[in-house]
Amino acid sequence: MLKKLLSLSNILACVTFILSLVALILYAVNVNSTGYFQGVRADGLVLLLIFVMVFDLLIIARSFLNFEGILDKVLDLLVMVLKVLVPLFIMIAILKLVQSRVEGFGYIFFSNVDVAKEVATPANIASAGVSITAIVFSAIAVIAALVGAFISPKKD
Amino acid sequence: MKRRTLNSLAVGLTATFASFLAVSVIGGQIANSYRANIDSALGTKSYVTVEGEGRFNKKFTTIDQMINAARAVSVKEGQEGTVLMKNDNAVLPLAAKSKVALFGIGAYATFPYLAGDLKAGNADAIDLETAFTNAGFTLEENVASVYKTVTNKHKSTSTNPWTGETVETIAYDAAPATSPGDMVQFQNNEVPASALAAKAGVAENWVDNIDNKATAFVVITRGAGEGNTYDPVKLAKDYLGNDTTKVALALSDDELSIIDLAKSKCSKVVVLINSGNNLELGEISKGGAHEVDGIAYIGCINDYQLEGVVDVLSGKVNASGHLSDTFVVDNLKSIPASQNIGSGIFTDASIVEANATNGYDPRWPNTEIQTGVHSSFASQTSYSSDSYIVEAEGIYVGYKYFETRYYDSIANPSFKADAKAGSHDGNAWSYDKEVLYTFGSGLSYLDYTQNITNVVVDKTNEGDVTATVAIKNNGDKEGLFAAQLYVQQPYTQYDRTNLVEKSAVMFLNSAKVLVPAGQTKEVTITVPTKYLASYDSKAAKTYILDEGDYLFTAANGAHEAVNNFLKAQGHTPTSGEAAGAVTKWNSVSLDTFTYAVSYNNAVTNQADNADLNYWLPGKVEYMTRQNWETFPKNYNEVSFKIADSAKKDEWLKEFRGQQYTLKTNNPATEGADKGLRFGTDANLTYDQLSNINDQYWSDLVSEITIDEAVGAVIHGGSQTDKLSNVENPIVAQNEGVSGFTTGYTFTDADKASSTWCKAHPDAANYKFNVHSQTLIATSFNPDLAYEWGEVEGNSGLWVSRFDLWGTGLTQRRTPYNGRNYEYISEDSMLANRLGAKILRGCADYGIINGPKHLGANDQEYKRAGLNEFMTEQKLREGDLRCFQAALEPKDGNGLAVMIAFNRIGSTNACHSVGVIKNILRGEWGFNGIISTDMATNPYYFIAEAMVMSTITQVADFAQNDNHINANDGVDKTWGYISVSSVKNDKEFVEQARQDLKYQLFTFANSYIFNVKTTKVTPAWETAINTVKVISIILTSVCAIGAVALLFVPGKKKEVA
């Protein structure tokens, strides 16, 4: 059982799960902390990342379930679909996060000197930093998920 | 390869290509929203313009003509805007080919010194040193060498974060602070005399080598900018960051040490004031402890103005500039408006909050909304309502206060002008103790007189005052002189009873004329008669023309004008002398009807609730000249409770932006294609172009769908978007107050034929933002203002940009506003007259130039929500009057305007139906474009309120979102706005269409109608589309392959 849990596919699913969870936590912190992005929500992001984590758990669970015949094929198909959806959902989450932050990044990092003095406060820069960190963690999660998509949860 | 391995490969590839597809689809949508920004960063284009024949044509037909015109008007600004404030011991004009010593870091980094919005930074820009040497003067090299080492101007490189391109900029080791901060402790970077040797690495006795025959020029500089407010109380820091004993706008001890050094080593000393914010100059003025021989105001310069400044200092041209503001002894204690800046906080501000205790806002159910005012550029969950100032000075801003109180100290002793209130030293008030240099004053090298010889007053609704002024040049050279026309309106018992305040003197207009030596020339000055009327908000509730004598005079400044009036009335001036004639016109009776109508609309009260007494009766005593003891107190320290108001519920609605509630019972008509198109091939008739009420326009906008009509207004952005069924043009907005910041890129043909290009072969482009707003103000020359408008407008045609926020007209209420350099004056009529000419110059070439920021943008501090309480008379005769002529079709004919960030009273200026719809559009006849400032806070800038006030576009950075259904059927910014929620409010939808009608009508009456816009696909968009298509194909192929590999049975192995 341990061998199944430690399969490369499951490890990558775990990594994706953890990174997505971290990204979700960072997003929650970002939205609820003082700073430029306090209250600035990216619609659907939370749901997407929750789905990602659930899908990862299902992918891991599949490696422990063995059936015969068509049911096994159907489960294989389900895992295939989940392995496509996981990186896709994370990617969509990243894009939604970027979409909700791009104007703020513009103000904080690329304004002229006078506007920057008003906007580029330590709190706002920190807030932007948390957003960027969330994006980075999500991007790494995408890479892990994409690599995992190339790896079957079962061996021949 | 094993089947399972192949299957995994197919799954992996499906996931990969699906992710690429998501990036290309969603990423493409994001990129589309910021198309103009991406094009600007990458140097690509999404639209190409083809300019055809039309109503508007270039005046300057070659690039050399255009550049030469820009340069010429800038030099003139320096020549005509430099103000000689003090000129003792014949220090100026300089003797030809004499030696000059330039002291002060500002002499080597004159503000603004970095290219950007404020400064063009062209290859042929002239600094002070170059201006003097070009004029034949020699520099005192010991001083120059030390300062060049200390300031160390050098090139600095930075990397463009978007393109990776290396960008070269100019930097200094020591330069004046470009931004003072927003009500924070200011750091004055001037290096004191005692530290110069060490910083320059020279011996301490270097000063002994200074040529004592040199005339010293000490440049004193103060930077400024958006989001900045000088703090009136906080003591400044020195160049090392240590606290000093001086406030920001006082001369620092380090600056005085430089002046003293110059005085000790040079024959004579002239101080040049390089600032848009008035400094306290008592220490260097007559009788001051550090008195200098000469003081000249040079404003905030640009590429070429210093050439003109030196032309004045050298005597090449006569000094003909005049101060556009009053310089006083103590900016804080002497000025009534200074008693109320910064902000107070409502004691019970939290009752405005939306929460479980107060109740939630139905537009945002279960959302907690706060009340603090924060940054102008941050999105925040706040109504931004807790802060206020009370502008208790009323109309008495600048000279109107000082000269009126002075007048009353002589002519109306019962008004208690000599009371201690308002005296900076706590003793009895006197004019000479408070005022150093008055509005309109300025010395001339040539002796001259100006006398009014005739006045005709056409007292009809559209009539003019026409005055003739004779200027006699008593000098031995030809010279340019400014004739300034002033009036005294009668201050009657009616006024006192109804609190209609009157200044004892009011500037009306000016004109400049070149007069040969020994000769007299007459100049005619006209101004609309309606500006003689005063606003009576209590009794007549409109503009009134009092009965009584109206005195007119021509004078060198407001103080001389008052002395002329005093003498004519049999009084003896106690400060200065009378110098000119006075002509009288009599109004036989109180007139409450002639100016009660304007552009066929009734003129009546629109801002009763801008007065805090409307909400809390009796709480504010506005200053009145009938008792100068009403000098304002600091209302920031008074406790005001919203809950104490009998109109609390009404007041809460203003704070929360609930001026309008969407209706649900009157269905709007959906837009339908009628085949009408706004295109350059549309044959609009004269009637259609000149009359917005022509049926054509109503039919055109009726084609716009509900979604796009509302969406295009509330998401108007910085660039218009294509509307279905209309084919409207795509028009991008541009900055700024100094001219178009977009450069003109030279073509090969330009480089081959242009003299300028050949002289500057390394220059790839030319920037036309070469203007100085401060110096056009002190020129007092409406013709020069028109000339700048022409240049600004024509430069737009050269860079193919047709819409800009190209001038600033807000009244300078105090010296502390960090944007004073963008504005013109403390006096609303000077801004009125010059602003009208600038905008007319642009409009004559079809350029849409929108002045900033209408609606009393009196300070940058907390501007995004600050409650500004004032009387309606102050609002109308103060800030609004600054903009009025510029925007009236029969005067400036300005085609656009930007509204201020702040509240008028407690009403967001952008929500004000009274000011925007009724005054601006109704009374002034303005049919142009009205934009907000950057509307980043959706709880302060309310969509429906802005539509109903007739805003044509809400400013944000994104484009291509001219619709409501941007996110699952509801608006992404105001979630309660959707097609469903607005489609049953016909009044709202029709108002949105009307707002777009103003926009389209304006485009038709501008150069944009000459231009055909065609969309092209930039390389980045092609790349995104390519990725999209390939991703769809490959995702599909791989997905099918993966499923097939899973279900299609493979070959069975044969068993031997």
Side-chain angles (χ1 to χ4, degrees), chain B residues 344-366:
Chain B
I345 306 287
F346 289 107
T347 308
D348 60 345
S350 62
I351 72 166
V352 180
E353 289 177 359
N355 51 37
T357 307
N358 296 338
Y360 291 107
D361 191 314
R363 295 168 297 188
W364 298 282
N366 300 315

Side-chain angles (χ1 to χ4, degrees), chain B residues 448-466:
Chain B
Y448 76 106
T449 59
Q450 56 180 308
N451 276 292
I452 193 166
T453 57
N454 189 42
V455 159
V456 174
V457 178
D458 176 357
K459 207 199 87 172
T460 59
N461 187 271
E462 296 185 16
D464 289 333
V465 171
T466 305

Side-chain angles (χ1 to χ4, degrees), chain B residues 486-691:
Chain B
Y486 291 88
V487 68
Q488 181 182 84
Q489 305 142 298
Y491 184 50
T492 65
Q493 187 56 51
Y494 175 94
D495 296 330
R496 283 167 230 175
T497 303
N498 296 295
L499 298 179
V500 180
E501 296 300 323
K502 294 277 184 68
S503 176
V505 61
M506 185 169 76
F507 173 80
L508 287 176
N509 199 358
S510 54
K512 267 190 160 163
V513 62
L514 198 62
V515 185
Q519 292 189 25
T520 300
K521 273 209 168 172
E522 283 196 334
V523 65
T524 301
I525 301 176
T526 59
V527 61
T529 307
K530 64 186 176 190
Y531 294 118
L532 294 185
S534 301
Y535 199 81
D536 170 13
S537 63
K538 300 230 182 303
K541 298 190 195 314
T542 190
Y543 283 103
I544 62 168
L545 209 57
D546 273 302
E547 70 169 293
D549 291 335
Y550 289 74
L551 306 183
F552 296 88
T553 193
N556 181 22
H559 191 62
E560 187 176 285
V562 166
N563 281 339
N564 290 353
F565 296 142
L566 282 167
K567 188 175 175 195
Q569 292 164 330
H571 300 292
T572 304
T574 57
S575 167
E577 296 174 355
V582 170
T583 302
K584 186 169 66 177
W585 172 76
N586 183 269
S587 177
V588 296
S589 62
L590 173 67
D591 181 336
T592 62
F593 53 88
T594 301
Y595 303 106
V597 174
S598 180
Y599 285 87
N600 301 315
N601 288 290
V603 177
T604 190
N605 285 5
Q606 300 294 342
D608 284 335
N609 64 2
D611 182 349
L612 186 55
N613 288 329
Y614 175 89
W615 305 107
L616 296 169
K619 287 288 189 182
V620 174
E621 184 176 38
Y622 290 95
M623 188 161 71
T624 173
R625 69 181 279 198
Q626 55 189 303
N627 178 8
W628 288 110
E629 286 181 328
T630 56
F631 186 87
K633 67 180 182 187
N634 183 355
Y635 283 95
N636 294 349
E637 296 168 352
V638 174
S639 170
F640 293 121
K641 288 184 71 175
I642 300 164
D644 288 345
S645 174
K647 298 173 183 167
K648 185 188 90 171
D649 291 340
E650 181 188 340
W651 206 359
L652 288 175
K653 286 189 172 179
E654 294 297 338
F655 289 129
R656 293 171 179 160
Q658 291 170 325
Q659 288 84 11
Y660 186 81
T661 304
L662 290 169
K663 300 177 183 62
T664 57
N665 57 0
N666 188 11
T669 308
E670 181 57 283
D673 189 353
K674 294 176 181 164
L676 290 172
R677 297 291 183 263
F678 181 101
T680 54
D681 56 353
N683 291 317
L684 291 179
T685 66
Y686 174 80
D687 283 343
Q688 289 162 343
L689 281 173
S690 58
N691 182 12

Side-chain angles (χ1 to χ4, degrees), chain B residues 212-536:
Chain B
N212 62 8
K213 291 189 289 298
T215 300
F217 287 89
V218 183
V219 179
I220 302 293
T221 299
R222 291 292 184 273
E226 181 170 6
N228 287 269
T229 309
Y230 277 100
D231 192 286
V233 175
K234 291 189 174 81
L235 299 177
K237 290 189 273 195
D238 68 10
Y239 75 114
L240 294 174
N242 300 319
D243 288 344
T244 72
T245 59
K246 299 282 190 70
V247 293
L249 294 181
L251 295 175
S252 70
D253 289 341
D254 291 342
E255 288 168 331
L256 291 173
S257 76
I258 298 297
I259 291 170
D260 288 344
L261 171 63
K263 285 177 67 169
S264 69
K265 296 298 175 188
C266 297
S267 60
K268 289 171 189 170
V269 177
V270 178
V271 170
L272 301 180
I273 306 299
N274 168 221
S275 171
N277 299 86
N278 284 11
L279 299 169
E280 295 171 355
L281 301 178
E283 288 170 290
I284 62 171
S285 298
K286 197 161 196 64
H290 306 267
E291 184 179 350
V292 295
D293 303 288
I295 302 173
Y297 174 83
I298 66 170
C300 297
I301 53 83
N302 207 316
D303 279 8
Y304 310 114
Q305 281 74 8
L306 288 171
E307 179 178 314
V309 169
V310 171
D311 284 345
V312 174
L313 301 176
S314 68
K316 181 180 175 185
V317 300
N318 185 34
S320 65
H322 298 268
L323 293 176
S324 55
D325 297 289
T326 308
F327 279 73
V328 300
V329 169
D330 189 318
N331 281 331
L332 177 59
K333 293 178 184 170
S334 300
I335 298 175
S338 296
Q339 310 317 301
N340 288 283
I341 79 163
S343 85
I345 306 287
F346 289 107
T347 308
D348 60 345
S350 62
I351 72 166
V352 180
E353 289 177 359
N355 51 37
T357 307
N358 296 338
Y360 291 107
D361 191 314
R363 295 168 297 188
W364 298 282
N366 300 315
T367 300
E368 293 197 353
I369 306 172
Q370 298 170 338
T371 60
V373 179
H374 304 291
S375 163
S376 319
F377 300 101
S379 174
Q380 54 206 276
T381 315
S382 174
Y383 291 121
S384 290
S385 60
D386 70 352
S387 304
Y388 69 86
I389 55 172
V390 179
E391 300 189 2
E393 74 278 2
I395 68 165
Y396 298 111
V397 171
Y399 77 83
K400 287 186 178 174
Y401 163 68
F402 294 102
E403 302 303 333
T404 304
R405 189 163 180 174
Y406 164 71
Y407 176 88
D408 286 340
S409 72
I410 300 168
N412 296 303
S414 66
F415 291 176
K416 303 181 192 169
D418 58 355
K420 292 179 186 176
S423 162
H424 84 273
D425 64 2
N427 297 319
W429 189 91
S430 78
Y431 179 87
D432 286 335
K433 257 194 339 183
E434 305 296 332
V435 178
L436 292 171
Y437 303 97
T438 188
F439 171 89
S441 65
L443 301 174
S444 164
Y445 293 134
L446 301 168
D447 180 55
Y448 76 106
T449 59
Q450 56 180 308
N451 276 292
I452 193 166
T453 57
N454 189 42
V455 159
V456 174
V457 178
D458 176 357
K459 207 199 87 172
T460 59
N461 187 271
E462 296 185 16
D464 289 333
V465 171
T466 305
T468 309
V469 177
I471 296 188
K472 184 167 190 290
N473 179 1
N474 296 318
D476 57 357
K477 287 197 298 186
E478 179 183 71
L480 192 66
F481 302 94
Q484 300 175 46
L485 179 65
Y486 291 88
V487 68
Q488 181 182 84
Q489 305 142 298
Y491 184 50
T492 65
Q493 187 56 51
Y494 175 94
D495 296 330
R496 283 167 230 175
T497 303
N498 296 295
L499 298 179
V500 180
E501 296 300 323
K502 294 277 184 68
S503 176
V505 61
M506 185 169 76
F507 173 80
L508 287 176
N509 199 358
S510 54
K512 267 190 160 163
V513 62
L514 198 62
V515 185
Q519 292 189 25
T520 300
K521 273 209 168 172
E522 283 196 334
V523 65
T524 301
I525 301 176
T526 59
V527 61
T529 307
K530 64 186 176 190
Y531 294 118
L532 294 185
S534 301
Y535 199 81
D536 170 13

